[in-house]
Amino acid sequence: MFRAVLKSLLARKIRLVLSGLAVVLGVMFVAGSLVLTTSLGDSFSNLFATAYQNTDVQVAPKPAPGQNADSGPSAARGATVPESVVRTVRGIDGVKAAHGEVMTNGTIPLGSDGKAIASTTGQQYGGNWSGTDSVVQLRSGRGPRAPDEVVINAGLAKTGHFALGDRIKAIINGKPHAFRVVGIYGYSGDRDSLGGETSMQFTTPTAQRLLLGRTGVYSDVTVTAAAGVSQQTLADRIGSRLGDGYKVQTGQELAKKTTDSLKEGLKFLNYILLGFAGVALFVGAFLILNTFSIIVAQRTRELALMRALGASRRQMIGSVLLEAVVIGVLAGALGLLAGIGVGAALGYVFTHVGGGNLQLSIGVPASAVIASFAVGIVITVVAALFPSLRASRIPPVAAMRDAATPDRPLTRISIAGGVVFVGGAVVLGLGLFGSLSGTATLWAILAGVLIAFIGVALLTPLIARPVVGAIGRLMSFSTPGKLGRRNSARNPRRTAVTAAALMVGIALITGVSTVLSSVQTSIDKLANEQIRADLIVSGQQTSEVPPSFDTALLGQMRDISGVSSVAGIYRSSAQVDGKNTAVAATDDLAALGTSLSLHRSSGSISGLGDHQAIVDSKTAKSDHLKVGDTVRVRLPRGGGTYTVSGIYSSREGGMSGWLLPHAAVGGFGLTNPTSAYVTVSGSGSTASVKKQVDALLADNPLITVADRSDYVHQQTSTFDTVQTMIQILLTLAIIIAALGVVNTLALSVIERTRELGLLRAIGMKRRQVMGMITVESVTISVFGAVLGLAVGAGLGAAVVRALHDQGITQLSFSWGLMVAYLILAAVIGVLAAILPSIRAARLNVLNAIAYE
């Protein structure tokens, strides 16, 4: 039996390739995602081990209220280390050297064109120049000596085309500053940057004044241990001397914590890639199932002869499953090799994008190897299970018949499909509308979608014949068209499985498009109802620090002719009664209330005293607050006790949270406004005011002014990018589905060799044979697309309904994209028919008639 299986595989090489290709593509995604995340994780581990190799201990301030304990350097952090602590650390036994460092994220360099030089990593550092060491190497020039001098890293120099002596501008805490480049530095290993970041280093007083707001303070203290003193011993000594007011960590702890944080972030990318790999494998399973079903049907006489020669049912099942195992092993091996290549290529892109040159360490984890072969074998064996059972039921007497095994009634499969679909709908409903919590909701939704898909796939044979017949009538204007329509409808099981593969891909794309389109429409509607201001001043965030602008600009905007009111918005992290949250403040509460349609629920929201605050109705309800209650607010640079003077309400998705008085801004991490709402009077011109506000913002390219429609488009443009990325990734599923159509037609041509020979014998021309095969292919593809559009629209609508309480109130379908998917399906059908139709047209008539 083993030799017979191997000979069968070698005799049908094309079938072997087509069957295994789908699994290869899916396994490639699985292996590639695991290789990518492992390689990036190892690369970052090496990076931070190098970055902290000269740091034995670091002393940093405790995080400001409302901020994560592991938050990186930030101008908005607020907490600093005074010079006196640096002197204290220097006097501790075991300290060889200690120096204060200024380092914050959010220093935005500008190019010669006046536009911001973005960093794809979101890391745009500013700091004080502390000289060279084994990691930092000055390549040209010298360190800064004057307030207007700066040294920059080589990555920024190359990206912005800066050289020694050039002038460079930067936005620091919302204000533009100009400097002269006096030095360019790099890092050990001939690296221009550590990880794609931009970095500007100033004199220590300049860095303290610009980045931290005052001199005599630092972001942290870097400590070098004396010979014979371990990092942990020195950290313990420093910690006991300074007390609980500071965070003391060893260099090894810093490297590990930073690496672990990045690896945690990489898990999200890994989950996304694995999710698309799952889709590809799910679609590939349909291809393999269909392939083995056709193979069993074509080999009826061969398998019956084997039964007549004494092969048992178990051996018949084993022979088919053995073919599946061989295909799975080969596909797993090829998929692993392809995955390593894809992972390495993506890793190179990730580590070199944005001017970075992180040294990539390619790592192939054992999980990638195990998963590749496990997935490849399991998918093919599971897909071949039902065809193998069918093969075992072939009676020996079938060897004496010409006919292949007849199609069985669709009753059982239809009932099974209905039960599975209902089960999937119930699980999906629990995830969307149930009271599940945490990850249970996500898993219920994913499981419900998967089970529902399987149910629909099982039900497709029931509707295949009538629907395919109706679609085929559109192309039945000739005899080849009529024959093609009848061929696609005469074997509903095969047509259904082939179409189901295309259905899954198009259903997922349609579902995602429906959700994203509904989100965009809902945001558009909410913004138009919520925002009453004519112009919105806001910024594009390129680092962890939100862009801001000079407070003085608010007054200049109010002085513009035609401006009725301007409400500036300040934002900060905070703790309110011990709960981490975000707070805001405004310099004109009445104007803000009008601009954002804030409505009074209780108390007063028309003005705020220095120790009063207002809060939205949802927060008040969840925290059991009422007008007159007091709350303790801790801010990065201050805080105090505030009395709730009013509770406001706004539409879902509008303004929410705590609003503090303008006097509280001094305690915020950022003391400049991050946005503003401008209302134009009835006699004013919005276009004229917008032009004048643009002129005021000319020195700060991170901040722009937009009218309501442009602002809404800016907020929703991200969804277009997400949709495009999903479409690109799901293209793999569409490609596999197209392979399924090719495979089905190719095997169908072999199965119908004698029939095609007879058609040619009675006068059908080669062109007509090709047309017949093409009609059959297009009909199957369009059937799958129609099914996918219906299922995807239904699932998308269900998700939108579940998100109603989150502000997604408008159901919207991407009709243009849906029509495009339908046309794409027809094109896929035409392309998939090329090779099978050519093969059918080239059949030798006499040989075909004699074929058995």
mmCIF file of all heavy atoms in Angstrom, residues 624-650:
data_model
loop_
_atom_site.group_PDB
_atom_site.id
_atom_site.type_symbol
_atom_site.label_atom_id
_atom_site.label_comp_id
_atom_site.label_asym_id
_atom_site.label_seq_id
_atom_site.Cartn_x
_atom_site.Cartn_y
_atom_site.Cartn_z
ATOM 1 N N HIS A 624 -19.871 57.548 41.352
ATOM 2 C CA HIS A 624 -20.846 57.913 42.385
ATOM 3 C C HIS A 624 -20.606 59.334 42.894
ATOM 4 O O HIS A 624 -20.513 59.585 44.097
ATOM 5 C CB HIS A 624 -20.781 56.917 43.554
ATOM 6 C CG HIS A 624 -20.903 55.476 43.137
ATOM 7 N ND1 HIS A 624 -22.084 54.942 42.663
ATOM 8 C CD2 HIS A 624 -19.969 54.483 43.092
ATOM 9 C CE1 HIS A 624 -21.878 53.667 42.368
ATOM 10 N NE2 HIS A 624 -20.609 53.364 42.610
ATOM 11 N N LEU A 625 -20.493 60.266 41.943
ATOM 12 C CA LEU A 625 -20.247 61.658 42.292
ATOM 13 C C LEU A 625 -21.485 62.509 42.042
ATOM 14 O O LEU A 625 -22.273 62.219 41.131
ATOM 15 C CB LEU A 625 -19.078 62.213 41.466
ATOM 16 C CG LEU A 625 -17.699 61.588 41.719
ATOM 17 C CD1 LEU A 625 -16.714 62.061 40.661
ATOM 18 C CD2 LEU A 625 -17.203 61.933 43.113
ATOM 19 N N LYS A 626 -21.619 63.572 42.804
ATOM 20 C CA LYS A 626 -22.705 64.533 42.599
ATOM 21 C C LYS A 626 -22.155 65.933 42.849
ATOM 22 O O LYS A 626 -21.047 66.109 43.384
ATOM 23 C CB LYS A 626 -23.874 64.240 43.527
ATOM 24 C CG LYS A 626 -23.560 64.311 45.011
ATOM 25 C CD LYS A 626 -24.775 63.955 45.838
ATOM 26 C CE LYS A 626 -24.525 64.098 47.330
ATOM 27 N NZ LYS A 626 -23.407 63.242 47.797
ATOM 28 N N VAL A 627 -22.921 66.929 42.438
ATOM 29 C CA VAL A 627 -22.496 68.314 42.616
ATOM 30 C C VAL A 627 -22.275 68.587 44.110
ATOM 31 O O VAL A 627 -23.104 68.230 44.952
ATOM 32 C CB VAL A 627 -23.550 69.279 42.037
ATOM 33 C CG1 VAL A 627 -23.190 70.724 42.363
ATOM 34 C CG2 VAL A 627 -23.655 69.094 40.530
ATOM 35 N N GLY A 628 -21.144 69.198 44.423
ATOM 36 C CA GLY A 628 -20.796 69.497 45.806
ATOM 37 C C GLY A 628 -19.763 68.556 46.396
ATOM 38 O O GLY A 628 -19.138 68.880 47.420
ATOM 39 N N ASP A 629 -19.554 67.393 45.766
ATOM 40 C CA ASP A 629 -18.535 66.461 46.253
ATOM 41 C C ASP A 629 -17.139 67.024 45.972
ATOM 42 O O ASP A 629 -16.940 67.838 45.061
ATOM 43 C CB ASP A 629 -18.674 65.097 45.571
ATOM 44 C CG ASP A 629 -19.899 64.336 46.058
ATOM 45 O OD1 ASP A 629 -20.481 64.753 47.079
ATOM 46 O OD2 ASP A 629 -20.272 63.337 45.407
ATOM 47 N N THR A 630 -16.171 66.576 46.723
ATOM 48 C CA THR A 630 -14.784 66.992 46.523
ATOM 49 C C THR A 630 -13.942 65.789 46.087
ATOM 50 O O THR A 630 -14.197 64.658 46.488
ATOM 51 C CB THR A 630 -14.180 67.595 47.804
ATOM 52 O OG1 THR A 630 -14.217 66.621 48.848
ATOM 53 C CG2 THR A 630 -14.933 68.852 48.209
ATOM 54 N N VAL A 631 -12.944 66.056 45.265
ATOM 55 C CA VAL A 631 -12.032 65.024 44.791
ATOM 56 C C VAL A 631 -10.602 65.520 44.940
ATOM 57 O O VAL A 631 -10.325 66.726 44.863
ATOM 58 C CB VAL A 631 -12.301 64.647 43.316
ATOM 59 C CG1 VAL A 631 -13.636 63.957 43.159
ATOM 60 C CG2 VAL A 631 -12.232 65.875 42.410
ATOM 61 N N ARG A 632 -9.701 64.572 45.164
ATOM 62 C CA ARG A 632 -8.280 64.890 45.270
ATOM 63 C C ARG A 632 -7.625 64.605 43.924
ATOM 64 O O ARG A 632 -7.690 63.478 43.413
ATOM 65 C CB ARG A 632 -7.623 64.044 46.363
ATOM 66 C CG ARG A 632 -6.118 64.205 46.493
ATOM 67 C CD ARG A 632 -5.734 65.567 46.983
ATOM 68 N NE ARG A 632 -4.276 65.726 47.085
ATOM 69 C CZ ARG A 632 -3.670 66.879 47.347
ATOM 70 N NH1 ARG A 632 -4.395 67.978 47.532
ATOM 71 N NH2 ARG A 632 -2.357 66.948 47.425
ATOM 72 N N VAL A 633 -7.019 65.644 43.323
ATOM 73 C CA VAL A 633 -6.401 65.523 42.006
ATOM 74 C C VAL A 633 -4.899 65.705 42.138
ATOM 75 O O VAL A 633 -4.431 66.718 42.670
ATOM 76 C CB VAL A 633 -6.974 66.556 41.018
ATOM 77 C CG1 VAL A 633 -6.289 66.426 39.652
ATOM 78 C CG2 VAL A 633 -8.480 66.395 40.870
ATOM 79 N N ARG A 634 -4.142 64.708 41.689
ATOM 80 C CA ARG A 634 -2.690 64.788 41.642
ATOM 81 C C ARG A 634 -2.251 64.959 40.189
ATOM 82 O O ARG A 634 -2.640 64.193 39.314
ATOM 83 C CB ARG A 634 -2.055 63.541 42.236
ATOM 84 C CG ARG A 634 -2.266 63.369 43.739
ATOM 85 C CD ARG A 634 -1.478 62.170 44.241
ATOM 86 N NE ARG A 634 -0.047 62.348 43.977
ATOM 87 C CZ ARG A 634 0.819 61.340 43.863
ATOM 88 N NH1 ARG A 634 0.390 60.084 43.959
ATOM 89 N NH2 ARG A 634 2.102 61.569 43.628
ATOM 90 N N LEU A 635 -1.442 65.992 39.945
ATOM 91 C CA LEU A 635 -0.959 66.320 38.612
ATOM 92 C C LEU A 635 0.554 66.124 38.562
ATOM 93 O O LEU A 635 1.210 66.057 39.606
ATOM 94 C CB LEU A 635 -1.327 67.765 38.258
ATOM 95 C CG LEU A 635 -2.829 68.078 38.211
ATOM 96 C CD1 LEU A 635 -3.047 69.577 38.123
ATOM 97 C CD2 LEU A 635 -3.486 67.375 37.033
ATOM 98 N N PRO A 636 1.147 66.050 37.359
ATOM 99 C CA PRO A 636 2.594 65.855 37.264
ATOM 100 C C PRO A 636 3.416 66.901 38.005
ATOM 101 O O PRO A 636 4.479 66.589 38.542
ATOM 102 C CB PRO A 636 2.846 65.919 35.748
ATOM 103 C CG PRO A 636 1.578 65.441 35.144
ATOM 104 C CD PRO A 636 0.500 65.971 36.033
ATOM 105 N N ARG A 637 2.920 68.144 38.057
ATOM 106 C CA ARG A 637 3.687 69.213 38.699
ATOM 107 C C ARG A 637 2.915 69.868 39.845
ATOM 108 O O ARG A 637 3.227 70.981 40.248
ATOM 109 C CB ARG A 637 4.065 70.283 37.670
ATOM 110 C CG ARG A 637 4.853 69.757 36.471
ATOM 111 C CD ARG A 637 5.095 70.865 35.456
ATOM 112 N NE ARG A 637 5.565 70.361 34.183
ATOM 113 C CZ ARG A 637 6.842 70.156 33.862
ATOM 114 N NH1 ARG A 637 7.784 70.417 34.740
ATOM 115 N NH2 ARG A 637 7.180 69.712 32.663
ATOM 116 N N GLY A 638 1.909 69.210 40.329
ATOM 117 C CA GLY A 638 1.147 69.817 41.419
ATOM 118 C C GLY A 638 -0.130 69.053 41.685
ATOM 119 O O GLY A 638 -0.180 67.837 41.570
ATOM 120 N N GLY A 639 -1.197 69.803 42.010
ATOM 121 C CA GLY A 639 -2.480 69.174 42.288
ATOM 122 C C GLY A 639 -3.195 69.893 43.407
ATOM 123 O O GLY A 639 -2.787 70.981 43.848
ATOM 124 N N GLY A 640 -4.270 69.294 43.891
ATOM 125 C CA GLY A 640 -5.042 69.903 44.960
ATOM 126 C C GLY A 640 -6.405 69.261 45.078
ATOM 127 O O GLY A 640 -6.716 68.255 44.426
ATOM 128 N N THR A 641 -7.248 69.857 45.923
ATOM 129 C CA THR A 641 -8.612 69.380 46.132
ATOM 130 C C THR A 641 -9.574 70.258 45.337
ATOM 131 O O THR A 641 -9.503 71.496 45.406
ATOM 132 C CB THR A 641 -8.973 69.422 47.626
ATOM 133 O OG1 THR A 641 -8.052 68.597 48.348
ATOM 134 C CG2 THR A 641 -10.390 68.902 47.844
ATOM 135 N N TYR A 642 -10.471 69.628 44.605
ATOM 136 C CA TYR A 642 -11.417 70.358 43.757
ATOM 137 C C TYR A 642 -12.849 69.942 44.101
ATOM 138 O O TYR A 642 -13.110 68.774 44.420
ATOM 139 C CB TYR A 642 -11.152 70.081 42.272
ATOM 140 C CG TYR A 642 -9.836 70.640 41.789
ATOM 141 C CD1 TYR A 642 -8.655 69.915 41.933
ATOM 142 C CD2 TYR A 642 -9.773 71.897 41.209
ATOM 143 C CE1 TYR A 642 -7.447 70.422 41.504
ATOM 144 C CE2 TYR A 642 -8.561 72.423 40.765
ATOM 145 C CZ TYR A 642 -7.405 71.683 40.919
ATOM 146 O OH TYR A 642 -6.212 72.203 40.501
ATOM 147 N N THR A 643 -13.747 70.897 44.018
ATOM 148 C CA THR A 643 -15.162 70.659 44.271
ATOM 149 C C THR A 643 -15.899 70.497 42.941
ATOM 150 O O THR A 643 -15.682 71.281 42.007
ATOM 151 C CB THR A 643 -15.791 71.834 45.044
ATOM 152 O OG1 THR A 643 -15.094 71.998 46.279
ATOM 153 C CG2 THR A 643 -17.258 71.574 45.322
ATOM 154 N N VAL A 644 -16.727 69.469 42.843
ATOM 155 C CA VAL A 644 -17.513 69.252 41.622
ATOM 156 C C VAL A 644 -18.608 70.314 41.583
ATOM 157 O O VAL A 644 -19.568 70.274 42.365
ATOM 158 C CB VAL A 644 -18.128 67.839 41.604
ATOM 159 C CG1 VAL A 644 -18.961 67.661 40.336
ATOM 160 C CG2 VAL A 644 -17.040 66.782 41.682
ATOM 161 N N SER A 645 -18.452 71.262 40.672
ATOM 162 C CA SER A 645 -19.428 72.353 40.579
ATOM 163 C C SER A 645 -20.487 72.099 39.517
ATOM 164 O O SER A 645 -21.506 72.797 39.475
ATOM 165 C CB SER A 645 -18.719 73.671 40.274
ATOM 166 O OG SER A 645 -18.058 73.601 39.016
ATOM 167 N N GLY A 646 -20.264 71.119 38.652
ATOM 168 C CA GLY A 646 -21.242 70.842 37.604
ATOM 169 C C GLY A 646 -20.989 69.501 36.941
ATOM 170 O O GLY A 646 -19.873 68.969 36.974
ATOM 171 N N ILE A 647 -22.034 68.956 36.384
ATOM 172 C CA ILE A 647 -21.959 67.709 35.629
ATOM 173 C C ILE A 647 -22.543 67.977 34.247
ATOM 174 O O ILE A 647 -23.657 68.504 34.132
ATOM 175 C CB ILE A 647 -22.730 66.575 36.327
ATOM 176 C CG1 ILE A 647 -22.082 66.284 37.704
ATOM 177 C CG2 ILE A 647 -22.732 65.306 35.469
ATOM 178 C CD1 ILE A 647 -22.849 65.261 38.525
ATOM 179 N N TYR A 648 -21.784 67.642 33.222
ATOM 180 C CA TYR A 648 -22.222 67.926 31.858
ATOM 181 C C TYR A 648 -22.466 66.630 31.099
ATOM 182 O O TYR A 648 -22.005 65.544 31.490
ATOM 183 C CB TYR A 648 -21.189 68.787 31.122
ATOM 184 C CG TYR A 648 -19.890 68.088 30.825
ATOM 185 C CD1 TYR A 648 -19.701 67.390 29.630
ATOM 186 C CD2 TYR A 648 -18.827 68.122 31.725
ATOM 187 C CE1 TYR A 648 -18.506 66.733 29.351
ATOM 188 C CE2 TYR A 648 -17.616 67.481 31.451
ATOM 189 C CZ TYR A 648 -17.470 66.792 30.259
ATOM 190 O OH TYR A 648 -16.292 66.152 29.983
ATOM 191 N N SER A 649 -23.178 66.737 30.020
ATOM 192 C CA SER A 649 -23.416 65.596 29.134
ATOM 193 C C SER A 649 -23.110 66.018 27.715
ATOM 194 O O SER A 649 -23.234 67.195 27.359
ATOM 195 C CB SER A 649 -24.870 65.112 29.231
ATOM 196 O OG SER A 649 -25.756 66.132 28.791
ATOM 197 N N SER A 650 -22.691 65.068 26.932
ATOM 198 C CA SER A 650 -22.448 65.309 25.511
ATOM 199 C C SER A 650 -22.786 64.037 24.761
ATOM 200 O O SER A 650 -22.939 62.971 25.351
ATOM 201 C CB SER A 650 -20.987 65.716 25.254
ATOM 202 O OG SER A 650 -20.120 64.661 25.580
#
